[in-house]
Amino acid sequence: MGQRKTTPENRERILRIAAQLIREKGIEHTTLAHIAEAANISKGTLYYYYATKGDLIFDIADRHMNNMTSRVFRWLESSGSGQSPRMVFRLVLDTVMHSRSRGHTHVYLLQEALTQNPSLKARFVEEYHRWRGIIEEGLTRIYGDQREYTVMAQVLLTTLDGLVLQRLVGSDSVPIDDIASFFEQAGALYQGLPRDESDSLS
């Protein structure tokens, strides 16, 4: 019997369906059998792609992390396009806030990482560190100097996580424009500090 071939298209379809089921049922209540049924494939075919649910979850996490990272990179690129700091902050806030399905995925993966998946937790730690570095580089581009923006990058990243949670529980009154303005003013205040004082905040 010839060896079956996996295809990127089928793998992507399985991951998309699995992520949707996880958002609807939760990780604990989503089995490989459920995913195979929803994808209209046999369990054997699914097992050919993913022998365990853990392997599949890690690939969903990888896909999710790559999507989130690409957003942060887009923000980084826009920060050098001559837009005002407020517009750049608004862009990144609006992009993250209005991706409801990915927000659900982010929360479920975090829950899994915190409760029973040390390898997934380690991956989140790695990616948060990476996102923070990208944001810090973006802030340096916005303000055009070589100060360290570690603290401001951490606050912005934490704010994004918090806003995603607020949106998911139904808070539609998040004032994105006001928050963007706040970060713009914080950056201006930071710029007004002597170099040694602003660097001591990092």
Side-chain angles (χ1 to χ4, degrees):
M1 183 185 296
Q3 185 179 12
R4 284 179 292 181
K5 294 181 179 179
T6 62
T7 67
E9 294 79 14
N10 284 343
R11 188 180 298 276
E12 179 66 20
R13 180 169 174 270
I14 289 168
L15 290 174
R16 187 175 64 252
I17 290 170
Q20 181 179 344
L21 286 177
I22 286 171
R23 288 193 298 269
E24 294 171 357
K25 298 173 174 284
I27 290 174
E28 182 180 353
H29 300 294
T30 301
T31 67
L32 290 178
H34 292 145
I35 295 166
E37 181 180 1
N40 198 26
I41 58 177
S42 69
K43 291 181 192 176
T45 299
L46 179 58
Y47 293 154
Y48 190 68
Y49 283 88
Y50 293 104
T52 69
K53 189 169 84 168
D55 291 338
L56 190 145
I57 288 171
F58 194 85
D59 264 14
I60 290 174
D62 192 59
R63 180 174 178 264
H64 170 69
M65 298 293 186
N66 287 336
N67 284 333
M68 294 292 286
T69 300
S70 69
R71 287 189 206 172
V72 179
F73 270 124
R74 284 198 299 273
W75 172 71
L76 176 60
E77 291 167 0
S78 73
S79 67
S81 63
Q83 297 187 62
S84 70
R86 181 183 301 190
M87 290 303 296
V88 176
F89 286 126
R90 200 199 186 294
L91 173 65
V92 70
L93 290 164
D94 194 56
T95 301
V96 173
M97 284 285 294
H98 288 91
S99 182
R100 193 175 186 87
S101 63
R102 288 178 184 167
H104 274 103
T105 303
H106 187 70
V107 171
Y108 277 120
L109 290 172
L110 271 175
Q111 181 182 8
E112 176 77 1
L114 290 171
T115 56
Q116 57 188 359
N117 195 323
S119 61
L120 193 54
K121 182 178 180 180
R123 180 66 196 275
F124 264 103
V125 170
E126 176 185 328
E127 289 301 316
Y128 272 127
H129 180 76
R130 183 181 178 200
W131 295 337
R132 191 164 57 244
I134 294 170
I135 291 171
E136 190 171 356
E137 184 179 342
L139 291 169
T140 300
R141 285 195 189 188
I142 288 175
Y143 295 110
D145 66 12
Q146 295 301 313
R147 295 177 189 237
E148 294 183 4
Y149 291 94
T150 307
V151 172
M152 193 170 175
Q154 179 66 67
V155 171
L156 181 55
L157 183 56
T158 303
T159 300
L160 291 171
D161 258 357
L163 291 176
V164 167
L165 287 173
Q166 289 183 48
R167 184 64 182 259
L168 290 178
V169 298
S171 177
D172 292 323
S173 59
V174 177
I176 292 180
D177 286 322
D178 291 341
I179 295 171
S181 178
F182 170 82
F183 275 105
E184 180 182 50
Q185 292 172 33
L189 177 63
Y190 191 80
Q191 283 287 297
L193 293 173
R195 184 61 176 262
D196 57 347
E197 289 186 33
S198 61
D199 288 348
S200 71
L201 295 177
S202 299

